[in-house]
Amino acid sequence: MIRFIISDIDGTLVPEGGSRINPEYMDVIRELTGRGVVFAAASGRQASSIDAVFHEIRDRIYYLADNGAYIQRNGAAAKEIRMCVEDTAAFLEDLKNISGYHALLSAREGYYTNDADPEFCRLVFKQYKGAGHIVENMADYLDVCIKLSLYCENGAQEIYSLLHERWGSKFAINISGKYWLDINDPASTKGNAVRWIQESLGIAPEETVVFGDNFNDISMLERSVRSYASALSHPDVKKAAAYEVASYEEDGVLQVLKQILEELGNEK
């Protein structure tokens, strides 16, 4: 019996950076949670940006924000993992040696950036609808930092390769979108967040369904026997999943959620 469903957002439910979702998702998720199924929205986004998509059912579901660094349950904080201040400060200094990116610091309450580039700020605060501020010095907020993100102008792969070689032993570094690179504490992965909920609620991988599309989703795909990668996923992500689901353009996840509702009805 399915007891726990987790879905990534960008590239899985909506286009990258989108916040408009088929309203039918809300109806189906209400039905699922009404039948006792736990639902979680898992994303590299900060919690306020997840809320832009799921606000009307926020009191029913989990948010696994910032790749699991912050877990919110039914609108209230449940768990938070902050990054090492000293290592993060050194990382920010090292970033000064490269170019072609815009940096963003994520905390529980919102984003902070010292980059006032109009297009970058429009992307973060308007398109992704994230709460936050432009500040003089991001280093002033290291004590509340749960994730760093880099928006890479020429795509994330090149900067990923460089930073993973230098900092892969200190941080979890993941490509989370075509242009986005996420840097977290090693314990902050979507998979670990899913594991924490599973262990807290006594839910097995056999009772769990996961949907994802990108490299930062692989760890949570591995926490489920019934895992789905979007048809638009990278081949390596598809290899990590048991099944493939139609893209967000076809509301593929919604189709499977409706199928699960039918399965639950038949089990009764």
Side-chain angles (χ1 to χ4, degrees), residues 27-155:
D27 297 331
V28 173
I29 293 171
R30 284 191 184 96
E31 280 196 64
L32 287 165
T33 56
R35 295 189 185 192
V37 177
V38 177
F39 185 88
S43 181
R45 297 184 184 210
Q46 196 266 346
S48 64
S49 185
I50 296 178
D51 198 60
V53 180
F54 288 102
H55 181 79
E56 67 179 87
I57 56 170
R58 73 195 302 261
D59 60 346
R60 287 176 169 264
I61 70 175
Y62 282 85
Y63 292 172
L64 309 186
D66 292 297
N67 294 321
Y70 173 60
I71 300 176
Q72 180 174 299
R73 179 183 183 184
N74 302 340
K79 187 179 181 183
E80 178 181 2
I81 300 174
R82 295 182 180 179
M83 296 174 67
C84 172
V85 171
E86 292 77 14
D87 288 343
T88 307
F91 182 88
L92 288 176
E93 282 298 312
D94 193 31
L95 282 180
K96 295 177 181 179
N97 298 311
I98 63 175
S99 60
Y101 69 88
H102 303 273
L104 192 65
L105 184 152
S106 188
R108 179 198 296 190
E109 65 274 10
Y111 292 122
Y112 297 99
T113 182
N114 59 358
D115 191 331
D117 178 82
E119 284 303 307
F120 176 62
C121 292
R122 183 199 61 78
L123 175 69
V124 173
F125 300 118
K126 299 296 184 182
Q127 183 173 328
Y128 279 92
K129 300 185 185 301
H133 305 280
I134 300 171
V135 297
E136 185 173 342
N137 188 1
M138 286 197 302
D140 292 340
Y141 300 87
L142 292 181
D143 59 332
V144 294
C145 177
I146 58 177
K147 189 192 74 176
L148 291 175
S149 296
L150 304 182
Y151 182 78
C152 308
E153 296 172 352
N154 298 316

